[in-house]
Amino acid sequence: MKHIVKTMIAVLALTGFAATSQAADFKPRIVRFGYGLNEDSNQGRAVKYFADELGKLSGGKWKVKGFGAASLGSDPQMQNALIGGAQEMMVGSTATLVGIVSDFGVYDLPFIFANEKEADTVLDGPFGQKLLDSLQPKGMVGLVYWENGFRDLTNSKRSINKMEDMQGIKLRVMQNPVYIDMFKGFGANAVPLAFSELFAALETKTVDGQENPLTTIESSKFYEVQKYLTITHHVYSPWIVTVSKKWYDGLSADEKAALKKAATDSRDFERKDSREASAKALTFLKQKGMQVTTVSEPELARMRATTTPSVDKFAADGHAQVVKDLQAELAKLRK
Ligand code: TK8
């Protein structure tokens, strides 16, 4: 008898969450999960992974429906829908959250993360969590960070090898003052615009260029309307998965736990997938006819030095503490 009980406990422990969740407290729910990129992108694939995972964890009771290509609106529009309770979930850039919690601009400081490992450690650690938590009083619950990636530059005008080559280039940036200041500093004509309007703006030459990770340049087909690609890696850009707090507050403890588990699993899936896709993207973009230049190390150092005033401005603008905290975290890692 004792033996049987022991075996049962062991089996339960092994099957773990999946087994307990069958009997757990799940209501049938439809979750609208909006995102900006195409379905066939690292973002779309991870939303699908998340949806499948949560379907399983809820014993089929939850139906997560992905809405890609900004079909539910731009990042800021979806954020408002979450706050109002009209939409349950979204994933988008942390950069577009600055209208809600301006401290999020800290991730956009130029050349702040040296590599993906640093980003993972900081984002998944106490620093990243504190920023996730800061969204709750504003009506959103931050679950996890996914990888958007290191950002590079494309344009239709000319090959860029140094800062001066950006002079007069009309460059779309995210709706975020750190980006506007950074690219003005480089000499470009920085134009804030929603991602959902970007392809059309590039196609009609309303803007000459944009900056995004290689994965997005591929999945959004920017290579069709952009000739020149410049590898700068000027910012490591996270995505953030958020849910409506109004909606979240009505979930059971089991539902909340499943949501968190699916989010964390999808994060691990997404980062691996993004890194694999990124490694292949450069070859693909060259095949599509993009002309690629890589900015030299000394030139990158010059660019970094040029951004000092924009970093100082951000700090002076009420963000001294968050900048200091991030720098302290990074110093710890680099020791
Ligand atoms: C997708 C955006 C995108 C971001 C941008 O909704 O706007 O350039 O990099 O990933 O959040």
Side-chain angles (χ1 to χ4, degrees):
M1 188 63 201
K2 240 187 179 171
H3 180 72
I4 293 174
V5 172
K6 258 194 187 161
T7 313
M8 277 175 64
I9 291 171
V11 168
L12 276 177
L14 267 177
T15 46
F17 198 88
T20 47
S21 70
Q22 302 299 327
D25 184 9
F26 281 89
K27 284 210 176 77
R29 294 183 195 274
I30 291 177
V31 183
R32 284 158 296 180
F33 191 166
Y35 59 98
L37 300 197
N38 293 322
E39 225 173 278
D40 187 12
S41 68
N42 49 342
Q43 203 174 43
R45 288 188 293 271
V47 169
K48 173 140 193 345
Y49 180 96
F50 173 87
D52 291 346
E53 180 86 353
L54 206 43
K56 278 183 231 156
L57 292 173
S58 66
K61 286 200 175 155
W62 281 34
K63 303 260 181 291
V64 180
K65 291 191 175 176
F67 291 87
S71 56
L72 297 182
S74 65
D75 283 8
Q77 284 167 336
M78 289 197 285
Q79 290 157 13
N80 286 328
L82 259 60
I83 292 167
Q87 180 183 328
E88 291 78 27
M89 274 190 90
M90 68 172 286
V91 58
S93 185
T94 51
T96 54
L97 274 173
V98 292
I100 294 166
V101 174
S102 62
D103 272 355
F104 272 101
V106 76
Y107 293 133
D108 304 309
L109 295 177
F111 306 105
I112 196 99
F113 291 113
N115 52 52
E116 284 100 349
K117 192 164 184 294
E118 276 191 4
D120 292 356
T121 311
V122 170
L123 293 167
D124 300 346
F127 180 89
Q129 187 61 46
K130 198 172 166 195
L131 271 171
L132 289 177
D133 293 344
S134 72
L135 286 167
Q136 289 230 16
K138 307 287 183 180
M140 295 168 92
V141 180
L143 292 180
V144 285
Y145 298 96
W146 289 354
E147 172 158 295
N148 188 355
F150 278 103
R151 302 178 80 92
D152 298 309
L153 206 63
T154 70
N155 83 96
S156 56
K157 279 219 149 150
R158 65 181 87 101
S159 172
I160 292 174
N161 295 289
K162 56 182 187 313
M163 256 187 299
E164 285 72 12
D165 298 334
M166 286 188 227
Q167 286 283 344
I169 299 251
K170 253 192 167 178
L171 191 88
R172 176 271 178 177
V173 292
M174 289 190 277
Q175 300 127 301
N176 172 308
V178 179
Y179 278 94
I180 300 171
D181 290 341
M182 180 189 336
F183 279 97
K184 278 190 179 158
F186 293 152
N189 179 2
V191 185
L193 191 72
F195 184 82
S196 46
E197 289 164 47
L198 181 51
F199 187 91
L202 294 169
E203 195 175 29
T204 56
K205 302 241 160 60
T206 308
V207 294
D208 305 313
Q210 64 86 43
E211 44 84 54
N212 251 299
L214 297 176
T215 43
T216 298
I217 298 167
E218 173 171 352
S219 66
S220 293
K221 302 195 186 332
F222 290 156
Y223 55 83
E224 289 181 355
V225 287
Q226 298 278 273
K227 175 85 185 151
Y228 304 101
L229 167 63
T230 312
I231 307 298
T232 48
H233 279 28
H234 49 276
V235 174
Y236 176 88
S237 186
W239 279 326
I240 181 169
V241 179
T242 49
V243 302
S244 161
K245 179 150 192 319
K246 269 195 181 158
W247 175 74
Y248 184 84
D249 286 344
L251 301 178
S252 71
D254 287 335
E255 288 174 326
K256 284 178 183 165
L259 194 64
K260 180 74 190 172
K261 176 163 170 49
T264 308
D265 291 352
S266 67
R267 172 193 75 198
D268 298 343
F269 166 85
E270 194 272 348
R271 284 184 184 154
K272 189 166 174 284
D273 178 54
S274 287
R275 284 160 200 178
E276 284 166 8
S278 178
K280 289 184 212 145
L282 196 56
T283 313
F284 174 87
L285 295 171
K286 281 181 186 162
Q287 276 165 1
K288 288 289 174 186
M290 288 197 93
Q291 220 163 290
V292 184
T293 51
T294 304
V295 174
S296 69
E297 277 304 325
E299 181 57 22
L300 281 177
R302 206 164 70 96
M303 282 172 72
R304 192 175 295 139
T306 307
T307 64
T308 310
S310 69
V311 177
D312 292 348
K313 186 177 160 203
F314 177 75
D317 202 13
H319 307 105
Q321 190 60 47
V322 77
V323 173
K324 212 174 118 207
D325 289 350
L326 177 54
Q327 281 166 344
E329 286 290 317
L330 289 168
K332 246 195 289 170
L333 288 180
R334 288 168 190 170
K335 251 211 312 244

